[in-house]
Amino acid sequence: MSQLWSSSTSPENESRPRRDSKVRHPGRRFAQMVKLKPEFVDKYKEVHAAVWPEVLKQIRDCNIVDYSIFHDPETGILFASFKYVGYDYAGDMERMRENPKVREWWKMTDCMQESLVPGAKDSESGEPSWWKPVEEVFYTP
């Protein structure tokens, strides 16, 4: 996902990025779904109105931006979307999983949800994913 640019070191090329400079990824969009158990709707909204600062920091540190979760009360579906702007998605998601506060958050919120992915155990396990990935079929910036 990262790009390394090459340039000579001559003065006329100083405006170009140097060979070792990284260019921030413009963003890869993700969307996911999970089902919210009806008895936890109010609690789920309550905890997301005050997400733990350590969890928010880890999300930012793992290069996730523009993160939203929507709820459809008729179906119970939670729909999440976010943009990943880092260089190593798999590595950043592993760093996310390594954070004890994030794992504690997942344990709390997973019990309020039902995965739509056959064989999924929880958010911490990783594969198969707890939240079902959804294919983007249209986008206009």
Side-chain angles (χ1 to χ4, degrees), residues 18-36:
R18 295 205 323 238
R19 180 179 191 92
D20 61 349
S21 66
K22 290 184 178 180
V23 177
R24 189 167 190 83
H25 191 279
R28 179 176 166 203
R29 295 161 42 88
F30 288 83
Q32 309 168 315
M33 299 185 321
V34 74
K35 189 167 184 176
L36 182 60

Side-chain angles (χ1 to χ4, degrees), residues 35-51:
K35 189 167 184 176
L36 182 60
K37 295 176 183 176
E39 64 270 25
F40 289 107
V41 170
D42 292 337
K43 181 67 175 171
Y44 194 83
K45 289 178 180 182
E46 177 186 317
V47 299
H48 281 82
V51 177

Side-chain angles (χ1 to χ4, degrees), residues 51-61 96 99-102:
V51 177
W52 302 340
E54 302 91 343
V55 172
L56 294 174
K57 181 180 183 320
Q58 189 66 55
I59 289 170
R60 284 189 304 275
D61 289 351
M96 181 86 69
N99 184 312
K101 208 62 172 168
V102 169

Side-chain angles (χ1 to χ4, degrees), residues 88-100:
D88 176 15
Y89 182 76
D92 280 336
M93 295 308 98
E94 184 59 34
R95 285 188 324 136
M96 181 86 69
R97 260 189 298 285
E98 290 171 355
N99 184 312

Side-chain angles (χ1 to χ4, degrees), residues 118-135:
K121 295 182 178 132
D122 55 38
S123 292
E124 189 176 349
S125 298
E127 292 299 325
S129 172
W130 182 251
W131 283 68
K132 181 180 181 179
V134 181
E135 177 186 5

Side-chain angles (χ1 to χ4, degrees), residues 72-129:
D72 176 13
E74 289 180 25
T75 64
I77 297 294
L78 292 171
F79 175 84
S81 68
F82 61 90
K83 188 183 288 186
Y84 176 74
V85 295
Y87 309 103
D88 176 15
Y89 182 76
D92 280 336
M93 295 308 98
E94 184 59 34
R95 285 188 324 136
M96 181 86 69
R97 260 189 298 285
E98 290 171 355
N99 184 312
K101 208 62 172 168
V102 169
R103 288 195 314 272
E104 184 181 344
W105 177 267
W106 286 344
K107 188 173 184 167
M108 175 185 62
T109 58
D110 282 2
C111 74
M112 299 180 202
Q113 304 163 346
E114 295 175 34
S115 180
L116 300 171
V117 179
K121 295 182 178 132
D122 55 38
S123 292
E124 189 176 349
S125 298
E127 292 299 325
S129 172

